[in-house]
Amino acid sequence: MMLNNSAADQRDVTGGGLFTSLRALALAVLSLALALLPAPALAQQPQTTVLTGGMLISGLSVPPLHDARVVIRGDRIVAVGSASEIAIPAGATVIDTSGQTMMPGLIDAHAHLFMLGYGDEAAWFKWLAGPGKKYSIEKIMELSGWQLLMSGVTSAIDLGGTAGDSIALRNRINKGEVAGPRLLVAGPLVTRRAFGGFPAEASAVIANPKEAAAVVDKLFAQGVDVIKAHAGLTREDYAAIVTAAHGHKIKVHAHVYDEEAVRNAFETGVDVLQHVGSAGFPIYSAGLVRAISEAGRPVVLTAAHRSWIFPDTVAFPGRLQDPATKALFPADIWAAVQASFKEWPAESYFAGIDRQMKFRSPQVKQWIESAAVMGVGTDSGTPMNFNSDGLIREMKVLVDEGMPVREVISSTTRVNARIMGKPDLGTIEPGKLADIIAVPGDPFYSNLNNLFGVQVVIKNGVVYKKDGKPTIPMPQ
């Protein structure tokens, strides 16, 4: 609307006659074109927004600030402090966060946007390819991105998908054409064996280290941001992948469970060790964990996606019909997802659940006690692991297993920003990008339960959610 008013003002000061009419017509067409732009693109026009009155958790290792105020101009934070000390600029849009907590936008260090919680991964892609083929993979990724953003996730690392779809969505989000978290994308898994059930183009199968390096070169040329080293890889494979990726100045994330794979990935220079809290095996040797911790090599546990989600769902199967989650789905996809849960305890995805539940707590505690650099990721999109609550569940596991709430928030924001290589993210400070969420109440008192009810989501200074409601519609 501001753009339309501006155009009208320009028409008023133009000279008369035919020139005036033609200019008025041109400006009217321009105004109509701007009105038809996607909402995020319109919203990115420079403006000043102020969040005021709530408690502030900055993401730094300092106590919260009560009755705080944050001033945003354009896409940047320009002032942070007490509401009594910072003036509200004239003409600013003011969002009252009294009774709420402001904190940095959450970051998911392990997402899969081409899935969204369907009960069986292979059956999900068959459903997508079924009669009618209404939804492309890129459209599903767009929906997942919107779901993540509405849940307070303003950035994510997509660790496994199809290169074309992943890169296209990342670019569209960056241009403001669609709403979603800021993404780093890996594209296909670099692996010795194709991942069963995924589309063929989601696995880059290699037979030797030379092929591994060539695949990395190819993926980099296509435009991926990171490399996902997956299953069955040898020590020599990891070394070749790391050398090639680092030659292009991009990071390698490794899918590792057993001790040998963790050691090989760590000792060959893999940048981020993923899944090391997923409890497929007993605790790791003390020497290996100490070496990883002392090296400052980031680990991402992805602990909740099987060994906590399964028993939590047994205890309360109603979580699968949560109306707040349902509101984030088109009706036909929601119906298909619900149908996929009919026999969920028998799904092969949970075949090792007894073992995983036995090892889950000792393994998570081992990493917490090691003081390793810990990112937080979810494996989002896997069975029953919804974009709407997966990251909060992962954070709660860490709190329940003994990690202080402030450290968990910092790991999910500041540390994950470091893992992404994005120094402008992760904390609320002047000069940083304005990625901020607000949640009701106090995360310390609620043990993070209030993060399930995000009220405000701001990314790059754009307000995507206010008063608990999206400011833009769900992709269809």
Side-chain angles (χ1 to χ4, degrees):
M1 293 300 296
M2 292 178 63
L3 289 168
N4 291 341
N5 291 338
S6 177
D9 292 342
Q10 293 179 46
R11 288 196 298 272
D12 289 343
V13 298
T14 306
L18 180 61
F19 178 79
T20 302
S21 300
L22 291 174
R23 182 174 176 83
L25 177 61
L27 287 168
V29 172
L30 174 61
S31 296
L32 177 61
L34 289 170
L36 294 175
L37 283 173
L42 282 175
Q44 288 173 6
Q45 300 304 310
Q47 59 182 331
T48 300
T49 304
V50 176
L51 302 174
T52 187
M55 183 173 80
L56 174 69
I57 297 175
S58 67
L60 300 169
S61 299
V62 297
L65 176 65
H66 294 274
D67 192 19
R69 183 168 290 167
V70 180
V71 180
I72 301 165
R73 185 169 297 120
D75 64 353
R76 297 277 169 175
I77 299 166
V78 296
V80 180
S82 170
S84 64
E85 298 175 350
I86 295 178
I88 296 177
T93 298
V94 178
I95 299 176
D96 184 2
T97 59
S98 300
Q100 302 178 48
T101 296
M102 300 172 283
M103 55 192 291
L106 305 177
I107 300 174
D108 190 338
H110 192 135
H112 292 285
L113 273 68
F114 68 170
M115 303 184 293
L116 34 68
Y118 197 90
D120 177 86
E121 292 167 335
W124 164 241
F125 292 104
K126 289 179 182 177
W127 184 84
L128 281 182
K133 295 183 179 180
K134 179 178 179 181
Y135 298 100
S136 65
I137 286 180
E138 186 180 344
K139 178 57 71 173
I140 292 302
M141 295 185 70
E142 182 182 338
L143 175 61
S144 291
W146 183 83
Q147 291 178 340
L148 287 166
L149 192 61
M150 292 305 108
S151 305
V153 180
T154 57
S155 298
I157 308 175
D158 185 66
L159 286 178
T162 56
D165 297 306
S166 301
I167 292 167
L169 179 67
R170 178 201 65 197
N171 293 346
R172 290 171 66 209
I173 290 173
N174 288 345
K175 292 175 183 177
E177 295 175 359
V178 297
R182 182 181 296 97
L183 293 177
L184 298 184
V185 300
L189 313 170
V190 182
T191 181
R192 283 273 184 159
R193 53 181 183 269
F195 192 74
F198 276 15
E201 60 270 30
S203 294
V205 180
I206 57 100
N208 54 60
K210 184 178 180 180
E211 289 184 5
V215 163
V216 171
D217 292 340
K218 178 182 177 181
L219 292 174
F220 175 77
Q222 288 178 300
V224 304
D225 304 293
V226 297
I227 298 297
K228 173 71 173 294
H230 197 246
L233 300 174
T234 67
R235 186 180 183 90
E236 292 72 26
D237 292 336
Y238 285 122
I241 291 168
V242 168
T243 298
H246 288 182
H248 296 299
K249 298 185 177 358
I250 59 176
K251 292 182 179 180
V252 178
H253 294 244
H255 167 109
V256 286
Y257 282 79
D258 66 275
E259 174 136 352
E260 181 181 5
V262 173
R263 186 179 298 279
N264 285 340
F266 169 63
E267 292 181 351
T268 55
V270 164
D271 299 282
V272 186
L273 303 170
Q274 296 273 357
H275 291 310
V276 294
S278 290
F281 295 87
I283 62 172
Y284 301 105
S285 63
L288 176 59
V289 170
R290 179 177 176 180
I292 292 169
S293 177
E294 290 180 348
R297 195 74 55 83
V299 298
V300 177
L301 305 192
T302 67
H305 70 108
R306 279 191 178 94
S307 57
W308 266 273
I309 280 180
F310 185 96
D312 286 354
T313 308
V314 169
F316 182 59
R319 70 166 286 263
L320 298 177
Q321 290 83 44
D322 179 17
T325 303
K326 180 180 179 180
L328 299 176
F329 279 81
D332 55 346
I333 297 181
W334 180 253
V337 168
Q338 291 300 305
S340 76
F341 294 148
K342 288 181 179 178
E343 304 293 336
W344 69 263
E347 293 291 350
S348 60
Y349 185 77
F350 297 111
I353 192 61
D354 291 335
R355 178 182 177 90
Q356 290 156 355
M357 288 171 61
K358 177 179 179 179
F359 294 136
R360 67 178 194 174
S361 185
Q363 199 171 80
V364 172
K365 281 184 166 66
Q366 179 184 38
W367 287 110
I368 292 174
E369 292 168 0
S370 77
V373 174
M374 191 181 298
V376 182
T378 61
D379 217 16
S380 74
T382 50
M384 307 192 307
N385 191 11
F386 299 118
N387 294 314
S388 57
D389 65 2
L391 190 55
I392 314 306
R393 288 179 174 277
E394 185 73 20
M395 295 170 74
K396 281 186 61 59
V397 164
L398 298 176
V399 170
D400 292 344
E401 293 302 310
M403 195 169 174
V405 169
R406 185 179 293 117
E407 289 184 22
V408 173
I409 292 174
S410 178
S411 289
T412 314
T413 56
R414 184 177 61 181
V415 174
N416 277 356
R418 169 185 162 186
I419 289 172
M420 289 188 75
K422 300 288 187 182
D424 279 355
L425 298 176
T427 59
I428 299 177
E429 302 176 80
K432 292 290 187 79
L433 285 169
D435 281 23
I436 303 173
I437 66 173
V439 299
D442 180 356
F444 298 100
Y445 179 78
S446 76
N447 270 357
L448 299 179
N449 279 313
N450 58 337
L451 269 65
F452 289 115
V454 175
Q455 296 298 297
V456 176
V457 177
I458 296 175
K459 181 194 130 193
N460 276 350
V462 179
V463 180
Y464 288 97
K465 191 174 188 180
K466 184 180 178 184
D467 299 325
K469 298 177 182 179
T471 62
I472 54 172
M474 173 173 59
Q476 297 289 338

